Amino acid sequence: MSISDNLNQIHQKIQQVSQKVNRPQNAVKLLAVSKTKPVEMIEQAIDAGQRAFGENYVQEGVEKVQFFADNHELEWHFIGSLQSNKTRLVAEHFAWVQTLDRLKIAQRLSEQRPANLPPLNVLIQINISDENSKAGIQPDALPELARQISQLPNLKLRGLMAIPAPESDPEKQKMALSAMHHLFIQLQTQFDGIDTLSMGMSDDLASAIECGSTMVRIGTAIFGSRS
């Protein structure tokens, strides 16, 4: 199967699940997770119509952003953990950061965002399954961090992101995803411009869409196993 075939399959699945739960046809955006993948594979995805890509590692991501700099249709999302010494590179090259969970990082991103670029779109990462191994804030810390981020001049708060714990029981899977959707709806009542709930990967894509995800992050099902 080619990358183009894989993308078609995923888009079909997104549409099928969306129809099943009466969500609009284009309510869910596909983010292709291209970390560790060579530019040749990304080119194949671009040729197949994919425009949004997610990168986990700063240096590798910046190199890819620069390689494709002439293609202004592409949208680059940083979806990895971000340390203070790497914020400038992300602020200068990416359009989105999905993993914001500390005010210090948010302040640095805002200060280091070049004046000639639009505000950096950001999502707050929630540790919805309360896992020690995962980044993200606790749900009860959301109102204050959202308030602080909303006041930073060069950031635009767009919503929430989560990586729920793997769960074989679909009902338990949906509990965490539904909790995220509830937080998202709450955030929408408090701030303007909240439109993105990034949750759902290859294993929980259908449940995530059923529970209100607006963006799913898919890597292996598009590009194959990690090299």
Side-chain angles (χ1 to χ4, degrees):
M1 293 263 287
S2 68
I3 286 172
S4 177
D5 291 334
N6 293 342
L7 281 164
N8 279 333
Q9 274 201 345
I10 295 161
H11 280 297
Q12 283 176 359
K13 184 169 184 184
I14 290 171
Q15 286 187 354
Q16 286 167 355
V17 179
S18 298
Q19 281 178 340
K20 180 181 148 193
V21 293
N22 295 320
R23 295 191 60 194
Q25 192 175 355
N26 297 318
V28 183
K29 181 170 182 170
L30 172 60
L31 184 72
V33 178
S34 46
K35 63 177 179 182
T36 76
K37 300 303 175 189
V39 293
E40 293 79 14
M41 295 181 89
I42 297 174
E43 284 176 323
Q44 291 175 45
I46 293 168
D47 289 343
Q50 181 64 26
R51 293 294 178 265
F53 294 89
E55 289 288 328
N56 284 57
Y57 308 111
V58 175
Q59 201 62 49
E60 178 196 346
V62 167
E63 287 170 10
K64 290 174 182 173
V65 172
Q66 290 174 328
F67 183 88
F68 291 105
D70 290 342
N71 189 335
H72 301 295
E73 291 184 354
L74 301 187
E75 186 179 274
W76 293 94
H77 294 237
F78 187 75
I79 58 172
S81 60
L82 185 53
Q83 295 159 324
S84 296
N85 61 344
K86 298 281 178 70
T87 52
R88 182 175 295 279
L89 283 169
V90 171
E92 290 175 349
H93 291 91
F94 284 82
W96 287 72
V97 173
Q98 295 208 9
T99 47
L100 206 48
D101 62 0
R102 279 177 290 160
L103 179 60
K104 177 187 174 185
I105 297 292
Q107 288 169 329
R108 288 177 68 88
L109 288 169
S110 182
E111 288 162 9
Q112 295 166 344
R113 183 68 169 171
N116 64 318
L117 293 179
L120 183 65
N121 298 294
V122 297
L123 303 179
I124 294 174
Q125 183 173 355
I126 307 289
N127 188 346
I128 197 64
S129 302
D130 196 20
E131 294 175 277
N132 291 333
S133 61
K134 292 250 177 82
I137 62 168
Q138 294 296 313
D140 59 4
L142 174 60
E144 180 59 15
L145 184 59
R147 184 190 66 77
Q148 292 167 326
I149 289 171
S150 71
Q151 294 173 345
L152 295 172
N154 299 315
L155 301 187
K156 184 171 174 56
L157 181 60
R158 297 286 294 271
L160 303 176
M161 178 267 214
I163 309 169
E167 184 54 71
S168 54
D169 179 345
E171 289 313 308
K172 285 186 180 171
Q173 194 179 62
K174 284 181 187 175
M175 281 172 63
L177 296 165
S178 295
M180 277 301 300
H181 187 243
H182 181 69
L183 289 173
F184 177 64
I185 297 297
Q186 280 186 318
L187 197 66
Q188 283 184 316
T189 66
Q190 293 160 339
F191 300 95
D192 292 332
I194 304 298
D195 57 8
T196 303
L197 178 56
S198 172
M199 63 182 191
M201 299 189 287
S202 297
D203 292 338
D204 59 352
L205 175 135
S207 296
I209 294 171
E210 287 180 33
C211 293
S213 170
T214 71
M215 183 181 293
V216 291
R217 308 181 305 272
I218 308 293
T220 304
I222 297 172
F223 297 109
S225 300
R226 242 175 256 188
S227 19

